[in-house]
Amino acid sequence: MGNSLSIENVSAGYGSVTVLSDVSVHAGDGETVVLLGTNGNGKTTLMRCITGQVVPSRGTIVAEIDGERHNLIGLSTEEIVDLGISLVPEGRRLFPRLTVEENLTLGAYRQSARERIAASMDFCFEVFPRLKERRTQLAGSMSGGEQQMLALARALMASPKILLIDEPSVGLAPILVARMIDKIAELKTALGLTVMMAEQNFEQAARIANRGYVLVHGQVAFAADSVDDLRNSDVVRRLYLGVG
Amino acid sequence: MTFSLDLFSNAIVSGILLGGFYCAIAVGITIVFGMLDIVNIAHPAFIMTGGFIAYFANTQFGIDPLAACAIAMIPAYYLGRLLYRFYNVAFEKRGEESLQGLAFFFGLLFIIEVALLLIFGVDYRFVEAPYIGPTIEIGFISIPWRLLIPLIVGLGLVLVIIAFLSRTFIGKAILAVSQDPLALRLVGGSPVKVKEVAFGLSIATAILAGALLIIIQPIEPSFGRDFIGRVFCITVLGGMTSLPGTIVASMILGVSESLTSTFLGPSWSPAIAFGLLLITLAVRPVGIFGR
Ligand SMILES: Nc1ncnc2c1ncn2[C@@H]1O[C@H](COP(=O)(O)OP(=O)(O)OP(=O)(O)O)[C@@H](O)[C@H]1O
Ligand SMILES: [Mg+2]
């Protein structure tokens, strides 16, 4: 039974400003797909379209969850999360004056997730022992790295099938970026997730991605069937590898 | 007026007792205005409604005023949820909550007041209960039961709400929606549904506060307006979202009013709330427990 995401010919923006035009992006069952693109090219906007925060003016977004197809356009953010699609958002969006434990608890808002809060929390604490040490600390008073772990763990508390991650590396030291990327790969395998990740750190993302897309000015400038194709593409070499 | 220790001690004690009652009238505003940004200035009208429910049940059926309002809290909770749903559809969803929403609650305040006037008239109404009358004397300090009960119930109410917010799932969701509504949606919660529960809870606390009010003193329908300044003063002074802050601010207001009314005369006490509000906004706008 598959868990996949298909974005077809999506155009979207804010008010009269068009940000995405005719974007088609796909993540197949069990894949890790990376969205590359420098600042302001529409990665976050695409994540917002998938999660119902921005309604596209054109195109379709369809998710397949456990083999069942759902049209996501028109659904509210909370309905989309309830289907099994979780987002680790840009800026992390933790509840700053709630504790680590309370943030995790609320991560399990879905009815189906609420029944196994204790087990999910044990799992998160096993994956991120640091969060266990800090369970009673207010989320807002944690370091950037810890907050990113918490944001990821909170998204997992919903027991999603499809995990969207918006720039996990932002604000982290290089060593932490590598560790965060490793964790994502580890969790993806352990939980059988389908992952779509926006990232600017090409080398790190390339370590775990199966495929990728490069967004430039709100359009898919390059769609690659493998990481090697990405690496050898003109646009990636120009934007990320400093060649050409 | 000359200063005397027993006058002073009694003023402090009645101020604390009064503060306990203020906890009950303000806790709903801390939830709704402090946490949810809804300027429900009709809150005092719901307190008056609670007072008249207690009056009606007491005079018609001889029911204890607290028991009557404790029961009435249940329908009041659902009424509050309905009211929020209306407010959300009519104002919040359209982004017109600030001015038109304020006008809506202002109108509601007057409608409820007029309705109470038409039903109960302008006379002062009171209730009877075994704890209205007797007084505990400790040395030169006297503690009337009719003020002690509101202190206990008022403090108890805030403590129960603190426990509810920190221990239950929906309680945590209420705290979460006050911090970041979008983040709540991203974990799968609906801010509207969560706020609806919080609003219902707030109206229920107003009804119970009404019972405490009519235990303390006889009431008439226009009385509620006196509390608008007080409830907002307490919430702001306490730091908007902080319930321990609400308790401390209630005590500060109660004691300040009691001292002024003892040493300067009762006509001054209504001005205290606005005075404290202005001082808070000037000196420490985030309140005592604010961040
Ligand atoms: N809420 C908003 N209202 C109006 N314009 C917006 C809004 N959010 C983003 N934009 C604009 O949309 C464009 C794309 O922004 P977006 O955040 O999707 O880019 P991004 O690829 O995620 O960039 P970054 O890597 O810096 O996070 C930018 O020009 C941005 O200014
Ligand atoms: Mg972004």
Side-chain angles (χ1 to χ4, degrees):
Chain A
M1 291 199 291
N3 298 296
S4 67
L5 191 59
S6 300
I7 293 118
E8 301 286 352
N9 310 108
V10 161
S11 298
Y14 304 91
S16 60
V17 184
T18 301
V19 174
L20 299 175
S21 29
D22 206 25
V23 169
S24 296
V25 167
H26 180 81
D29 188 34
E31 275 190 314
T32 299
V33 171
V34 61
L35 299 173
L36 295 162
T38 48
N39 295 113
N41 280 305
K43 303 182 297 296
T44 298
T45 304
L46 185 58
M47 293 291 188
R48 288 187 183 141
C49 288
I50 300 168
T51 52
Q53 302 172 62
V54 170
V55 181
S57 53
R58 279 194 56 214
T60 57
I61 302 179
V62 173
E64 190 191 2
I65 308 277
D66 289 337
E68 205 178 314
R69 286 164 60 84
H70 303 271
N71 182 1
L72 301 189
I73 292 180
L75 297 186
S76 68
T77 302
E78 47 273 34
E79 285 167 335
I80 291 167
V81 174
D82 207 44
L83 290 175
I85 303 172
S86 285
L87 169 67
V88 182
E90 182 173 72
R92 302 176 186 121
R93 302 304 285 244
L94 297 170
F95 302 112
R97 295 188 299 282
L98 294 184
T99 64
V100 168
E101 216 163 9
E102 288 166 337
N103 269 275
L104 290 175
T105 302
L106 286 168
Y109 217 102
R110 291 175 74 194
Q111 204 51 54
S112 57
R114 239 187 265 190
E115 289 149 16
R116 40 173 193 272
I117 285 187
S120 306
M121 203 172 303
D122 285 347
F123 175 80
C124 287
F125 285 155
E126 217 169 279
V127 178
F128 299 109
R130 176 64 68 89
L131 295 182
K132 187 172 188 176
E133 289 165 27
R134 306 268 157 146
R135 61 204 293 170
T136 59
Q137 187 173 334
L138 295 184
S141 68
M142 297 207 302
S143 75
E146 291 164 349
Q147 291 193 12
Q148 190 65 48
M149 287 179 205
L150 180 55
L152 184 55
R154 188 181 66 179
L156 294 174
M157 287 296 292
S159 306
K161 295 292 161 70
I162 298 174
L163 183 64
L164 310 168
I165 312 175
D166 197 347
E167 296 203 50
S169 72
V170 158
L172 302 188
I175 171 88
L176 284 182
V177 174
R179 257 189 240 158
M180 186 60 69
I181 294 290
D182 288 340
K183 277 292 178 207
I184 292 168
E186 178 190 328
L187 289 163
K188 193 227 117 177
T189 314
L191 302 170
L193 301 169
T194 298
V195 176
M196 186 175 282
M197 176 172 78
E199 185 50 74
Q200 299 207 38
N201 187 326
F202 174 76
E203 286 302 340
Q204 288 300 330
R207 285 174 38 224
I208 66 165
N210 301 109
R211 294 189 303 112
Y213 300 84
V214 184
L215 285 178
V216 177
H217 300 318
Q219 291 181 306
V220 177
F222 190 74
D225 285 333
S226 73
V227 174
D228 286 336
D229 285 0
L230 266 181
R231 193 184 304 278
N232 296 327
S233 73
D234 288 344
V235 58
V236 168
R237 286 157 64 92
R238 201 173 61 244
L239 292 175
Y240 292 99
L241 305 176
V243 250
Chain B
M1 187 174 290
T2 52
F3 183 86
S4 81
L5 183 64
D6 86 352
L7 211 56
F8 180 76
S9 323
N10 271 301
I12 296 281
V13 169
S14 19
I16 291 170
L17 295 169
L18 192 60
F21 164 65
Y22 286 170
C23 287
I25 65 169
V27 66
I29 281 295
T30 300
I31 295 171
V32 149
F33 174 62
M35 297 182 186
L36 309 183
D37 273 337
I38 304 170
V39 194
N40 178 17
I41 51 173
H43 196 74
F46 291 100
I47 299 174
M48 298 316 293
T49 306
F52 282 101
I53 288 171
Y55 163 74
F56 182 77
N58 186 256
T59 49
Q60 296 298 308
F61 310 108
I63 300 173
D64 177 83
L66 279 172
C69 283
I71 295 164
M73 282 173 88
I74 298 163
Y77 167 77
Y78 288 102
L79 183 82
R81 290 182 64 151
L82 268 176
L83 186 62
Y84 173 73
R85 224 180 280 182
F86 175 78
Y87 169 77
N88 173 260
V89 172
F91 304 104
E92 245 180 1
K93 262 199 190 134
R94 301 193 199 158
E96 289 168 352
E97 67 266 29
S98 26
L99 203 59
Q100 302 197 18
L102 187 66
F104 165 69
F105 285 117
F106 204 66
L108 197 62
L109 176 76
F110 276 93
I111 289 170
I112 295 174
E113 193 180 305
V114 169
L116 291 175
L117 265 173
L118 291 175
I119 302 170
F120 296 102
V122 291
D123 295 336
Y124 277 86
R125 305 291 180 182
F126 57 90
V127 288
E128 279 170 13
Y131 42 80
I132 300 176
T135 293
I136 307 170
E137 304 281 351
I138 305 168
F140 52 75
I141 291 173
S142 56
I143 302 174
W145 275 103
R146 58 167 239 289
L147 293 177
L148 187 58
I149 296 277
L151 172 78
I152 296 164
V153 175
L155 280 179
L157 180 65
V158 182
L159 294 178
V160 166
I161 288 175
I162 290 175
F164 172 78
L165 292 179
S166 59
R167 302 272 166 83
T168 65
F169 194 93
I170 183 73
K172 287 172 194 159
I174 292 172
L175 297 174
V177 81
S178 78
Q179 296 176 22
D180 191 342
L182 175 61
L184 186 74
R185 309 185 66 171
L186 288 172
V187 297
S190 153
V192 173
K193 284 185 191 155
V194 171
K195 285 164 118 179
E196 192 184 307
V197 171
F199 201 92
L201 195 66
S202 162
I203 299 300
T205 66
I207 298 296
L208 189 65
L212 301 179
L213 176 60
I214 200 170
I215 289 168
I216 295 175
Q217 63 181 89
I219 61 171
E220 51 98 358
S222 71
F223 225 68
R225 291 183 225 160
D226 291 358
F227 293 109
I228 298 176
R230 291 190 174 109
V231 290
F232 283 94
C233 161
I234 291 166
T235 295
V236 173
L237 181 60
M240 294 300 277
T241 57
S242 165
L243 290 167
T246 298
I247 296 179
V248 173
S250 298
M251 294 299 165
I252 291 175
L253 180 64
V255 170
S256 316
E257 282 188 356
S258 170
L259 286 175
T260 350
S261 120
T262 305
F263 293 104
L264 297 175
S267 51
W268 280 97
S269 56
I272 299 299
F274 286 106
L276 274 177
L277 188 58
L278 291 179
I279 294 170
T280 311
L281 292 175
V283 177
R284 190 174 155 77
V286 293
I288 304 171
F289 281 53
R291 282 158 297 242

